[in-house]
PDB file of all heavy atoms in Angstrom:
ATOM      1  N   ASP A  43       6.164   0.038   4.781  1.00  0.00           N
ATOM      2  CA  ASP A  43       6.058   1.415   4.313  1.00  0.00           C
ATOM      3  C   ASP A  43       7.220   2.229   4.886  1.00  0.00           C
ATOM      4  O   ASP A  43       7.255   2.517   6.087  1.00  0.00           O
ATOM      5  CB  ASP A  43       4.714   1.982   4.781  1.00  0.00           C
ATOM      6  CG  ASP A  43       4.463   3.407   4.324  1.00  0.00           C
ATOM      7  OD1 ASP A  43       5.421   4.096   3.924  1.00  0.00           O
ATOM      8  OD2 ASP A  43       3.300   3.845   4.388  1.00  0.00           O
ATOM      9  N   ALA A  46       6.176   5.441   6.636  1.00  0.00           N
ATOM     10  CA  ALA A  46       5.612   5.237   7.981  1.00  0.00           C
ATOM     11  C   ALA A  46       6.729   5.010   8.995  1.00  0.00           C
ATOM     12  O   ALA A  46       6.661   5.496  10.133  1.00  0.00           O
ATOM     13  CB  ALA A  46       4.643   4.052   7.973  1.00  0.00           C
ATOM     14  N   GLY A  55       9.714  10.358  21.191  1.00  0.00           N
ATOM     15  CA  GLY A  55      10.595   9.274  21.601  1.00  0.00           C
ATOM     16  C   GLY A  55      11.199   8.501  20.442  1.00  0.00           C
ATOM     17  O   GLY A  55      11.857   7.479  20.655  1.00  0.00           O
ATOM     18  N   ALA A  58      15.061   9.102  15.651  1.00  0.00           N
ATOM     19  CA  ALA A  58      15.722  10.225  14.975  1.00  0.00           C
ATOM     20  C   ALA A  58      15.713  11.511  15.793  1.00  0.00           C
ATOM     21  O   ALA A  58      16.446  12.453  15.480  1.00  0.00           O
ATOM     22  CB  ALA A  58      15.048  10.482  13.622  1.00  0.00           C
ATOM     23  N   ARG A  64      19.779  17.933  18.026  1.00  0.00           N
ATOM     24  CA  ARG A  64      21.141  18.469  18.057  1.00  0.00           C
ATOM     25  C   ARG A  64      21.394  19.407  16.872  1.00  0.00           C
ATOM     26  O   ARG A  64      21.993  20.477  17.022  1.00  0.00           O
ATOM     27  CB  ARG A  64      22.153  17.311  18.041  1.00  0.00           C
ATOM     28  CG  ARG A  64      23.598  17.736  18.269  1.00  0.00           C
ATOM     29  CD  ARG A  64      24.529  16.539  18.235  1.00  0.00           C
ATOM     30  NE  ARG A  64      24.669  15.965  16.906  1.00  0.00           N
ATOM     31  CZ  ARG A  64      25.426  16.477  15.921  1.00  0.00           C
ATOM     32  NH1 ARG A  64      26.094  17.597  16.118  1.00  0.00           N
ATOM     33  NH2 ARG A  64      25.510  15.868  14.753  1.00  0.00           N
ATOM     34  N   TRP A  66      18.916  20.696  14.596  1.00  0.00           N
ATOM     35  CA  TRP A  66      17.878  21.714  14.402  1.00  0.00           C
ATOM     36  C   TRP A  66      17.009  21.775  15.662  1.00  0.00           C
ATOM     37  O   TRP A  66      15.874  21.270  15.676  1.00  0.00           O
ATOM     38  CB  TRP A  66      17.012  21.377  13.180  1.00  0.00           C
ATOM     39  CG  TRP A  66      17.788  21.273  11.907  1.00  0.00           C
ATOM     40  CD1 TRP A  66      18.264  22.290  11.137  1.00  0.00           C
ATOM     41  CD2 TRP A  66      18.191  20.058  11.229  1.00  0.00           C
ATOM     42  NE1 TRP A  66      18.926  21.800  10.038  1.00  0.00           N
ATOM     43  CE2 TRP A  66      18.899  20.429  10.063  1.00  0.00           C
ATOM     44  CE3 TRP A  66      18.011  18.701  11.496  1.00  0.00           C
ATOM     45  CZ2 TRP A  66      19.433  19.498   9.177  1.00  0.00           C
ATOM     46  CZ3 TRP A  66      18.546  17.760  10.617  1.00  0.00           C
ATOM     47  CH2 TRP A  66      19.244  18.164   9.469  1.00  0.00           C
ATOM     48  N   ASP A  72       8.476  19.044  22.639  1.00  0.00           N
ATOM     49  CA  ASP A  72       7.909  18.014  23.512  1.00  0.00           C
ATOM     50  C   ASP A  72       8.318  16.596  23.087  1.00  0.00           C
ATOM     51  O   ASP A  72       7.501  15.674  23.049  1.00  0.00           O
ATOM     52  CB  ASP A  72       6.368  18.157  23.546  1.00  0.00           C
ATOM     53  CG  ASP A  72       5.736  17.341  24.664  1.00  0.00           C
ATOM     54  OD1 ASP A  72       6.419  17.099  25.691  1.00  0.00           O
ATOM     55  OD2 ASP A  72       4.581  16.917  24.502  1.00  0.00           O
ATOM     56  N   ALA A  78       6.771  20.250   9.955  1.00  0.00           N
ATOM     57  CA  ALA A  78       6.625  21.492   9.179  1.00  0.00           C
ATOM     58  C   ALA A  78       7.833  22.402   9.409  1.00  0.00           C
ATOM     59  O   ALA A  78       8.392  22.972   8.462  1.00  0.00           O
ATOM     60  CB  ALA A  78       5.338  22.207   9.567  1.00  0.00           C
ATOM     61  N   GLY A  81      10.890  20.743   7.787  1.00  0.00           N
ATOM     62  CA  GLY A  81      10.808  20.902   6.332  1.00  0.00           C
ATOM     63  C   GLY A  81      11.236  22.285   5.879  1.00  0.00           C
ATOM     64  O   GLY A  81      11.957  22.438   4.891  1.00  0.00           O
ATOM     65  N   ARG A  83      13.317  24.182   7.375  1.00  0.00           N
ATOM     66  CA  ARG A  83      14.764  24.320   7.589  1.00  0.00           C
ATOM     67  C   ARG A  83      15.575  23.659   6.463  1.00  0.00           C
ATOM     68  O   ARG A  83      16.634  24.141   6.095  1.00  0.00           O
ATOM     69  CB  ARG A  83      15.184  23.683   8.918  1.00  0.00           C
ATOM     70  CG  ARG A  83      14.656  24.357  10.155  1.00  0.00           C
ATOM     71  CD  ARG A  83      15.366  25.677  10.436  1.00  0.00           C
ATOM     72  NE  ARG A  83      14.658  26.387  11.497  1.00  0.00           N
ATOM     73  CZ  ARG A  83      13.585  27.142  11.310  1.00  0.00           C
ATOM     74  NH1 ARG A  83      13.070  27.308  10.107  1.00  0.00           N
ATOM     75  NH2 ARG A  83      13.018  27.768  12.329  1.00  0.00           N
ATOM     76  N   MET A  98      17.904   9.612   8.352  1.00  0.00           N
ATOM     77  CA  MET A  98      16.650   8.880   8.185  1.00  0.00           C
ATOM     78  C   MET A  98      16.786   7.578   7.389  1.00  0.00           C
ATOM     79  O   MET A  98      16.135   6.580   7.724  1.00  0.00           O
ATOM     80  CB  MET A  98      15.598   9.778   7.511  1.00  0.00           C
ATOM     81  CG  MET A  98      15.298  11.060   8.258  1.00  0.00           C
ATOM     82  SD  MET A  98      14.989  10.863  10.044  1.00  0.00           S
ATOM     83  CE  MET A  98      13.633   9.718  10.049  1.00  0.00           C
ATOM     84  N   ARG A 103      15.929   1.736   6.761  1.00  0.00           N
ATOM     85  CA  ARG A 103      16.491   0.464   6.299  1.00  0.00           C
ATOM     86  C   ARG A 103      16.460  -0.590   7.414  1.00  0.00           C
ATOM     87  O   ARG A 103      16.114  -1.743   7.169  1.00  0.00           O
ATOM     88  CB  ARG A 103      17.923   0.666   5.796  1.00  0.00           C
ATOM     89  CG  ARG A 103      18.487  -0.584   5.127  1.00  0.00           C
ATOM     90  CD  ARG A 103      19.895  -0.353   4.608  1.00  0.00           C
ATOM     91  NE  ARG A 103      20.396  -1.542   3.957  1.00  0.00           N
ATOM     92  CZ  ARG A 103      20.421  -1.748   2.652  1.00  0.00           C
ATOM     93  NH1 ARG A 103      19.949  -0.832   1.830  1.00  0.00           N
ATOM     94  NH2 ARG A 103      20.905  -2.857   2.141  1.00  0.00           N
ATOM     95  N   ARG A 117       7.834 -17.623   6.630  1.00  0.00           N
ATOM     96  CA  ARG A 117       7.789 -18.222   5.283  1.00  0.00           C
ATOM     97  C   ARG A 117       6.688 -17.599   4.409  1.00  0.00           C
ATOM     98  O   ARG A 117       6.006 -18.288   3.655  1.00  0.00           O
ATOM     99  CB  ARG A 117       7.626 -19.738   5.368  1.00  0.00           C
ATOM    100  CG  ARG A 117       8.804 -20.372   6.097  1.00  0.00           C
ATOM    101  CD  ARG A 117       8.812 -21.838   5.996  1.00  0.00           C
ATOM    102  NE  ARG A 117      10.009 -22.375   6.626  1.00  0.00           N
ATOM    103  CZ  ARG A 117      10.334 -23.650   6.632  1.00  0.00           C
ATOM    104  NH1 ARG A 117       9.573 -24.532   6.031  1.00  0.00           N
ATOM    105  NH2 ARG A 117      11.438 -24.071   7.213  1.00  0.00           N
ATOM    106  N   THR A 118       6.566 -16.295   4.527  1.00  0.00           N
ATOM    107  CA  THR A 118       5.620 -15.548   3.689  1.00  0.00           C
ATOM    108  C   THR A 118       6.112 -15.622   2.237  1.00  0.00           C
ATOM    109  O   THR A 118       7.284 -15.355   1.978  1.00  0.00           O
ATOM    110  CB  THR A 118       5.554 -14.075   4.152  1.00  0.00           C
ATOM    111  OG1 THR A 118       5.272 -14.047   5.552  1.00  0.00           O
ATOM    112  CG2 THR A 118       4.494 -13.301   3.401  1.00  0.00           C
ATOM    113  N   PHE A 129      15.352   3.355  -6.035  1.00  0.00           N
ATOM    114  CA  PHE A 129      16.551   3.320  -6.897  1.00  0.00           C
ATOM    115  C   PHE A 129      17.621   4.271  -6.384  1.00  0.00           C
ATOM    116  O   PHE A 129      18.808   3.939  -6.382  1.00  0.00           O
ATOM    117  CB  PHE A 129      16.179   3.671  -8.344  1.00  0.00           C
ATOM    118  CG  PHE A 129      15.382   2.606  -9.050  1.00  0.00           C
ATOM    119  CD1 PHE A 129      14.094   2.866  -9.491  1.00  0.00           C
ATOM    120  CD2 PHE A 129      15.916   1.344  -9.282  1.00  0.00           C
ATOM    121  CE1 PHE A 129      13.359   1.901 -10.155  1.00  0.00           C
ATOM    122  CE2 PHE A 129      15.194   0.361  -9.934  1.00  0.00           C
ATOM    123  CZ  PHE A 129      13.906   0.638 -10.370  1.00  0.00           C
ATOM    124  N   SER A 133      18.233   0.600  -2.775  1.00  0.00           N
ATOM    125  CA  SER A 133      17.441  -0.444  -2.122  1.00  0.00           C
ATOM    126  C   SER A 133      16.869  -1.462  -3.104  1.00  0.00           C
ATOM    127  O   SER A 133      16.434  -2.539  -2.690  1.00  0.00           O
ATOM    128  CB  SER A 133      16.297   0.187  -1.310  1.00  0.00           C
ATOM    129  OG  SER A 133      16.826   0.950  -0.249  1.00  0.00           O
ATOM    130  N   ARG A 136      17.987  -5.115  -2.963  1.00  0.00           N
ATOM    131  CA  ARG A 136      17.429  -6.081  -2.003  1.00  0.00           C
ATOM    132  C   ARG A 136      16.148  -6.727  -2.516  1.00  0.00           C
ATOM    133  O   ARG A 136      15.544  -7.534  -1.817  1.00  0.00           O
ATOM    134  CB  ARG A 136      17.139  -5.377  -0.665  1.00  0.00           C
ATOM    135  CG  ARG A 136      18.386  -4.785  -0.026  1.00  0.00           C
ATOM    136  CD  ARG A 136      18.078  -4.249   1.369  1.00  0.00           C
ATOM    137  NE  ARG A 136      17.261  -3.046   1.315  1.00  0.00           N
ATOM    138  CZ  ARG A 136      16.397  -2.684   2.263  1.00  0.00           C
ATOM    139  NH1 ARG A 136      16.211  -3.443   3.315  1.00  0.00           N
ATOM    140  NH2 ARG A 136      15.722  -1.567   2.156  1.00  0.00           N
ATOM    141  N   PRO A 146       0.962  10.108 -16.457  1.00  0.00           N
ATOM    142  CA  PRO A 146       1.454  11.192 -17.313  1.00  0.00           C
ATOM    143  C   PRO A 146       1.914  12.399 -16.493  1.00  0.00           C
ATOM    144  O   PRO A 146       1.389  12.660 -15.409  1.00  0.00           O
ATOM    145  CB  PRO A 146       0.229  11.543 -18.169  1.00  0.00           C
ATOM    146  CG  PRO A 146      -0.635  10.326 -18.142  1.00  0.00           C
ATOM    147  CD  PRO A 146      -0.413   9.704 -16.789  1.00  0.00           C
ATOM    148  N   GLN A 152      -1.009  17.866 -11.725  1.00  0.00           N
ATOM    149  CA  GLN A 152      -2.363  18.169 -11.260  1.00  0.00           C
ATOM    150  C   GLN A 152      -2.591  17.620  -9.842  1.00  0.00           C
ATOM    151  O   GLN A 152      -3.117  18.313  -8.975  1.00  0.00           O
ATOM    152  CB  GLN A 152      -3.376  17.562 -12.235  1.00  0.00           C
ATOM    153  CG  GLN A 152      -4.825  17.922 -11.986  1.00  0.00           C
ATOM    154  CD  GLN A 152      -5.718  17.249 -13.017  1.00  0.00           C
ATOM    155  OE1 GLN A 152      -6.056  16.077 -12.895  1.00  0.00           O
ATOM    156  NE2 GLN A 152      -6.077  17.989 -14.046  1.00  0.00           N
ATOM    157  N   PRO A 158      -2.212  20.819  -0.180  1.00  0.00           N
ATOM    158  CA  PRO A 158      -2.039  22.106   0.517  1.00  0.00           C
ATOM    159  C   PRO A 158      -0.573  22.530   0.573  1.00  0.00           C
ATOM    160  O   PRO A 158       0.304  21.714   0.840  1.00  0.00           O
ATOM    161  CB  PRO A 158      -2.567  21.822   1.942  1.00  0.00           C
ATOM    162  CG  PRO A 158      -3.265  20.505   1.882  1.00  0.00           C
ATOM    163  CD  PRO A 158      -2.799  19.791   0.663  1.00  0.00           C
ATOM    164  N   GLU A 163       7.136  25.634  -7.994  1.00  0.00           N
ATOM    165  CA  GLU A 163       8.570  25.685  -7.668  1.00  0.00           C
ATOM    166  C   GLU A 163       8.956  24.513  -6.766  1.00  0.00           C
ATOM    167  O   GLU A 163       9.996  23.891  -6.942  1.00  0.00           O
ATOM    168  CB  GLU A 163       8.920  27.007  -6.966  1.00  0.00           C
ATOM    169  CG  GLU A 163       8.782  28.255  -7.821  1.00  0.00           C
ATOM    170  CD  GLU A 163       7.343  28.700  -8.020  1.00  0.00           C
ATOM    171  OE1 GLU A 163       6.473  28.331  -7.203  1.00  0.00           O
ATOM    172  OE2 GLU A 163       7.077  29.399  -9.018  1.00  0.00           O
ATOM    173  N   ARG A 164       8.098  24.224  -5.807  1.00  0.00           N
ATOM    174  CA  ARG A 164       8.376  23.126  -4.876  1.00  0.00           C
ATOM    175  C   ARG A 164       8.333  21.791  -5.618  1.00  0.00           C
ATOM    176  O   ARG A 164       9.155  20.908  -5.372  1.00  0.00           O
ATOM    177  CB  ARG A 164       7.359  23.146  -3.733  1.00  0.00           C
ATOM    178  CG  ARG A 164       7.777  22.262  -2.592  1.00  0.00           C
ATOM    179  CD  ARG A 164       7.087  22.620  -1.301  1.00  0.00           C
ATOM    180  NE  ARG A 164       7.639  21.791  -0.244  1.00  0.00           N
ATOM    181  CZ  ARG A 164       7.220  21.784   0.988  1.00  0.00           C
ATOM    182  NH1 ARG A 164       6.247  22.585   1.345  1.00  0.00           N
ATOM    183  NH2 ARG A 164       7.755  21.001   1.882  1.00  0.00           N
ATOM    184  N   GLU A 187       0.420   1.620 -14.642  1.00  0.00           N
ATOM    185  CA  GLU A 187      -0.111   2.918 -15.074  1.00  0.00           C
ATOM    186  C   GLU A 187      -1.279   3.287 -14.163  1.00  0.00           C
ATOM    187  O   GLU A 187      -2.296   2.596 -14.145  1.00  0.00           O
ATOM    188  CB  GLU A 187      -0.595   2.828 -16.530  1.00  0.00           C
ATOM    189  CG  GLU A 187       0.471   2.423 -17.525  1.00  0.00           C
ATOM    190  CD  GLU A 187       1.460   3.523 -17.857  1.00  0.00           C
ATOM    191  OE1 GLU A 187       1.293   4.648 -17.340  1.00  0.00           O
ATOM    192  OE2 GLU A 187       2.385   3.259 -18.634  1.00  0.00           O
ATOM    193  N   ARG A 193      -9.587   0.674 -10.990  1.00  0.00           N
ATOM    194  CA  ARG A 193      -9.887  -0.725 -11.338  1.00  0.00           C
ATOM    195  C   ARG A 193      -8.745  -1.332 -12.144  1.00  0.00           C
ATOM    196  O   ARG A 193      -8.309  -2.459 -11.898  1.00  0.00           O
ATOM    197  CB  ARG A 193     -11.198  -0.793 -12.117  1.00  0.00           C
ATOM    198  CG  ARG A 193     -11.649  -2.216 -12.383  1.00  0.00           C
ATOM    199  CD  ARG A 193     -12.996  -2.257 -13.055  1.00  0.00           C
ATOM    200  NE  ARG A 193     -13.337  -3.629 -13.385  1.00  0.00           N
ATOM    201  CZ  ARG A 193     -14.391  -3.979 -14.102  1.00  0.00           C
ATOM    202  NH1 ARG A 193     -15.225  -3.064 -14.545  1.00  0.00           N
ATOM    203  NH2 ARG A 193     -14.630  -5.236 -14.374  1.00  0.00           N
ATOM    204  N   MET A 197      -6.244  -4.449 -11.053  1.00  0.00           N
ATOM    205  CA  MET A 197      -6.078  -5.629 -11.925  1.00  0.00           C
ATOM    206  C   MET A 197      -4.602  -5.873 -12.245  1.00  0.00           C
ATOM    207  O   MET A 197      -4.120  -7.005 -12.214  1.00  0.00           O
ATOM    208  CB  MET A 197      -6.872  -5.440 -13.225  1.00  0.00           C
ATOM    209  CG  MET A 197      -8.367  -5.631 -13.060  1.00  0.00           C
ATOM    210  SD  MET A 197      -9.296  -5.132 -14.550  1.00  0.00           S
ATOM    211  CE  MET A 197      -8.493  -6.101 -15.816  1.00  0.00           C
ATOM    212  N   ALA A 200      -2.840  -7.199  -9.127  1.00  0.00           N
ATOM    213  CA  ALA A 200      -3.209  -8.602  -8.885  1.00  0.00           C
ATOM    214  C   ALA A 200      -2.424  -9.525  -9.815  1.00  0.00           C
ATOM    215  O   ALA A 200      -1.969 -10.605  -9.406  1.00  0.00           O
ATOM    216  CB  ALA A 200      -4.711  -8.782  -9.079  1.00  0.00           C
ATOM    217  N   VAL A 203       1.117  -9.751  -8.450  1.00  0.00           N
ATOM    218  CA  VAL A 203       1.135 -10.622  -7.261  1.00  0.00           C
ATOM    219  C   VAL A 203       1.100 -12.088  -7.685  1.00  0.00           C
ATOM    220  O   VAL A 203       1.862 -12.913  -7.159  1.00  0.00           O
ATOM    221  CB  VAL A 203      -0.040 -10.281  -6.311  1.00  0.00           C
ATOM    222  CG1 VAL A 203      -0.204 -11.360  -5.243  1.00  0.00           C
ATOM    223  CG2 VAL A 203       0.193  -8.918  -5.665  1.00  0.00           C
ATOM    224  N   GLU A 211       7.243 -20.003  -5.645  1.00  0.00           N
ATOM    225  CA  GLU A 211       6.951 -21.430  -5.455  1.00  0.00           C
ATOM    226  C   GLU A 211       7.898 -22.322  -6.244  1.00  0.00           C
ATOM    227  O   GLU A 211       7.905 -23.530  -6.096  1.00  0.00           O
ATOM    228  CB  GLU A 211       5.490 -21.715  -5.849  1.00  0.00           C
ATOM    229  CG  GLU A 211       4.494 -21.073  -4.881  1.00  0.00           C
ATOM    230  CD  GLU A 211       3.080 -21.042  -5.422  1.00  0.00           C
ATOM    231  OE1 GLU A 211       2.869 -21.464  -6.593  1.00  0.00           O
ATOM    232  OE2 GLU A 211       2.177 -20.593  -4.682  1.00  0.00           O
TER     233      GLU A 211
END
Side-chain angles (χ1 to χ4, degrees):
D43 182 343
R64 188 180 70 78
W66 301 282
D72 193 27
R83 294 286 170 277
M98 302 312 303
R103 188 179 181 100
R117 299 190 176 184
T118 307
F129 289 117
S133 295
R136 299 187 289 150
Q152 187 180 81
E163 293 76 22
R164 193 160 185 184
E187 301 285 357
R193 186 175 175 187
M197 284 171 54
V203 168
E211 292 166 356

